[in-house]
Amino acid sequence: AVIVNDDEVTCVAPHQSEGTVQFQLVSQDLEILVNEFYDQTPLQYTYLPPIEITSLAPSFGTIHGDTMLLIELDWTAEHIHLRCIYGKNLASVANIINGTMITCLTPLVMKPGWISVEIGIEDEENLTILTPISAQYRYVVEPTIKSIYPPRGSMSGGSLVTISGENFHYHDERSVHCRFGNQTSPAVFATDNEVQCRSPAVDEITREVQAVRLVGEPIRDEVQEIRIVGTPIAREIQWVIVESSESREAPQVVRVLLTASTGMEGYFKLTYRGFASEPIGVKAAPEEVENCLASGLFESVGVKRVLDESIYGDYSAFDVSFYSVPGGVDLADMSCDRSAVTSKWSGDIQCIIVEIVPSSTSLVEGSFELTVFDFDGNELPIILSVESTAYSLEQKLRSFIGSDVSVTKSKWPFTSISKSGFIWMVTFPSFHHSSSGIPLADWPLITVDDISLSGTDTALHVVERVKGNWVEGSF
């Protein structure tokens, strides 16, 4: 036991088979070997078997959350308060469908990316994780459907329908399908932003509006905007840019983890944007992995083997540092081919790719002051650090301007690697002046002032990217 304070100690539970045991706190005199009990209060500690996640679907969903996950467990869940745990610090209630199947709603997150999913139990004070190996779930930007062609077809079905849009997530084609009314059809990717599927047959002519959707994403109401030709309605966008002439240097670190319940043999390949590495042995030395990745796939990489005794079963883990990929490797474009890896139970072989250290976005550091003005002459000074998030700035602006203002943050510049920094993009609303009723959209320009920025040739400036405007009259 480790004494934390006068009222608390911590202990590590020893190995024990499933069941409930008596728990007591004792003082042991090592000289006379007599145990004296501090407290005779009867307490119990319960050992539970590990919970293994055998499947999780869908494998991705929107950052807004509320995606229903269907999770199959190698475990019988009965009369226990299960929780789905995301990234160690977010949790949602697990609903038991049957003995081995549960559902969970994903929580809201602020940015896309991979996150671990684990299963645990919760009592009044504590959350206990019971999964030895976590599953992986990907948060993505919400897909947008722009068009469907052709918009009509034969009642007998079989028409090839192409759906175009943005943010289609082709890394998991199994989770995408088309829905025509209450019938579904498998979908395949034609390009990054187009999917195709065959229309199903119908028994009678109908005027029902058919919808196309991605699994887990709600069907949204159509919004149409009427515009006056020559005077488009616009919301003003201003860019706040902080940059340095220093280029990005810190490498991105990606962990490649192969796991199985029993010993693995064979080799795997990493594929990036259509190009495959040389075959990599499951037990290869770091130098061998470097040579396989550098041969035709990446110019400069560094590899370290990961040793983690907490990983269940047999595993091989490598941390790969990428030095030559501007802006970093997009994990959505990387896949792992484990078809040549074998074990006693081949069905439980997993190959997981996660980002451990993101690519360096800037070498500029410090803080600056940003001042926003409204049309009544009021001003709001805000102190921002280079690492401040878009969400923190957005919340401060909304308290001053209103809920229609929005902020996003990106690496800067978008393409060049001769400089590095950040850009905050502020979108202001168009509205009528509160006292005069005059339509206003051309917001006063944000001002910025360097407080403690450091770096080589640092620069701080504001650009009016889209000038706000409005339209008046009748039609």
Side-chain angles (χ1 to χ4, degrees):
V2 177
I3 298 176
V4 179
N5 53 49
D6 291 344
D7 300 316
E8 185 177 350
V9 299
T10 61
C11 303
V12 177
H15 176 74
Q16 177 75 26
S17 58
E18 179 183 356
T20 300
V21 298
Q22 186 179 16
F23 178 86
Q24 292 174 310
L25 185 65
V26 305
S27 175
Q28 187 178 59
D29 189 323
L30 297 180
E31 293 183 358
I32 61 176
L33 301 178
V34 173
N35 293 339
E36 177 184 350
F37 293 95
Y38 274 124
D39 190 347
Q40 298 296 331
T41 303
L43 298 174
Q44 290 184 329
Y45 182 84
T46 301
Y47 284 92
L48 295 172
I51 301 176
E52 294 187 12
I53 299 176
T54 56
S55 68
L56 180 148
S59 63
F60 67 92
T62 171
I63 59 175
H64 302 300
D66 285 339
T67 298
M68 178 71 74
L69 297 182
L70 183 63
I71 303 173
E72 185 176 5
L73 308 176
D74 185 16
W75 194 75
T76 302
E78 294 181 351
H79 310 297
I80 194 169
H81 300 292
L82 291 180
R83 297 291 185 268
C84 290
I85 305 161
Y86 310 85
K88 306 298 185 184
N89 56 4
L90 296 173
S92 64
V93 175
N95 295 308
I96 299 174
I97 304 301
N98 55 45
T100 60
M101 197 73 70
I102 63 172
T103 60
C104 291
L105 285 177
T106 59
L108 166 74
V109 298
M110 300 311 301
K111 61 181 182 180
W114 289 98
I115 195 169
S116 63
V117 180
E118 299 172 293
I119 306 299
I121 60 172
E122 186 176 34
D123 55 25
E124 296 179 355
E125 298 180 355
N126 300 306
L127 188 63
T128 304
I129 297 176
L130 296 176
T131 43
I133 301 178
S134 62
Q136 295 295 312
Y137 177 79
R138 184 177 175 87
Y139 277 103
V140 297
V141 179
E142 186 173 281
T144 301
I145 296 172
K146 291 186 173 181
S147 66
I148 173 175
Y149 183 84
R152 61 185 64 86
S154 169
M155 291 174 55
S156 60
S159 300
L160 184 62
V161 180
T162 300
I163 300 94
S164 302
E166 294 179 347
N167 299 318
F168 289 177
H169 307 292
Y170 61 94
H171 60 275
D172 193 345
E173 193 168 286
R174 296 171 302 172
S175 292
V176 181
H177 68 257
C178 300
R179 174 167 290 174
F180 297 79
N182 58 1
Q183 298 186 63
T184 60
S185 175
V188 295
F189 280 93
T191 67
D192 293 354
N193 292 316
E194 286 186 348
V195 296
Q196 293 180 330
C197 50
R198 296 284 180 180
S199 62
V202 294
D203 296 331
E204 58 183 15
I205 298 176
T206 175
R207 296 187 63 84
E208 176 187 356
V209 176
Q210 307 290 340
V212 183
R213 61 173 294 186
L214 299 184
V215 171
E217 305 301 332
I219 300 175
R220 302 196 176 276
D221 296 334
E222 178 179 354
V223 178
Q224 297 187 2
E225 181 180 59
I226 299 174
R227 296 193 174 192
I228 305 301
V229 176
T231 313
I233 300 171
R235 303 177 72 187
E236 177 160 334
I237 301 177
Q238 296 184 16
W239 286 3
V240 179
I241 302 171
V242 55
E243 62 183 3
S244 167
S245 63
E246 296 182 55
S247 60
R248 305 182 181 100
E249 295 179 357
Q252 176 188 24
V253 181
V254 173
R255 178 164 298 174
V256 179
L257 172 64
L258 283 103
T259 66
S261 299
T262 58
M264 295 181 293
E265 296 179 348
Y267 62 87
F268 66 98
K269 294 181 181 180
L270 291 182
T271 301
Y272 188 65
R273 294 181 176 174
F275 296 94
S277 70
E278 295 293 326
I280 303 171
V282 171
K283 304 300 182 181
E287 297 79 10
E288 296 176 283
V289 180
E290 290 179 7
N291 293 334
C292 292
L293 293 178
S295 177
L297 194 61
F298 298 103
E299 292 180 4
S300 178
V301 296
V303 177
K304 293 182 179 179
R305 180 174 287 279
V306 179
L307 299 177
D308 189 345
E309 297 300 330
S310 65
I311 298 179
Y312 177 78
D314 187 31
Y315 74 94
S316 283
F318 306 93
D319 278 353
V320 183
S321 298
F322 295 95
Y323 296 94
S324 59
V325 183
V329 171
D330 187 349
L331 297 193
D333 294 337
M334 179 175 284
S335 61
C336 176
D337 179 1
R338 63 181 190 279
S339 59
V341 180
T342 61
S343 72
K344 183 177 180 180
W345 293 299
S346 58
D348 72 346
I349 298 174
Q350 296 186 65
C351 185
I352 301 170
I353 303 175
V354 293
E355 187 177 58
I356 303 299
V357 178
S359 59
S360 174
T361 53
S362 179
L363 297 179
V364 64
E365 299 177 328
S367 302
F368 62 96
E369 183 178 60
L370 175 150
T371 304
V372 181
F373 304 86
D374 67 10
F375 295 110
D376 294 320
N378 302 311
E379 61 182 59
L380 174 67
I382 302 172
I383 303 296
L384 286 181
S385 74
V386 170
E387 302 299 329
S388 294
T389 64
Y391 178 76
S392 63
L393 176 58
E394 183 178 87
Q395 293 302 107
K396 293 176 182 178
L397 292 180
R398 287 187 172 186
S399 65
F400 180 62
I401 296 172
S403 60
D404 284 341
V405 68
S406 62
V407 180
T408 60
K409 181 184 179 183
S410 302
K411 301 174 185 177
W412 177 261
F414 296 131
T415 56
S416 170
I417 60 172
S418 61
K419 293 184 178 182
S420 60
F422 296 101
I423 175 172
W424 288 261
M425 291 169 278
V426 182
T427 302
F428 293 94
S430 300
F431 69 101
H432 286 72
H433 195 283
S434 57
S435 57
S436 66
I438 300 174
L440 299 169
D442 189 14
W443 281 81
L445 200 64
I446 294 172
T447 63
V448 288
D449 184 32
D450 185 350
I451 296 179
S452 61
L453 293 178
S454 61
T456 303
D457 300 327
T458 58
L460 179 64
H461 49 99
V462 179
V463 177
E464 187 176 50
R465 182 63 179 178
V466 177
K467 184 180 179 64
N469 53 61
W470 63 90
V471 64
E472 293 182 282
S474 303
F475 66 94

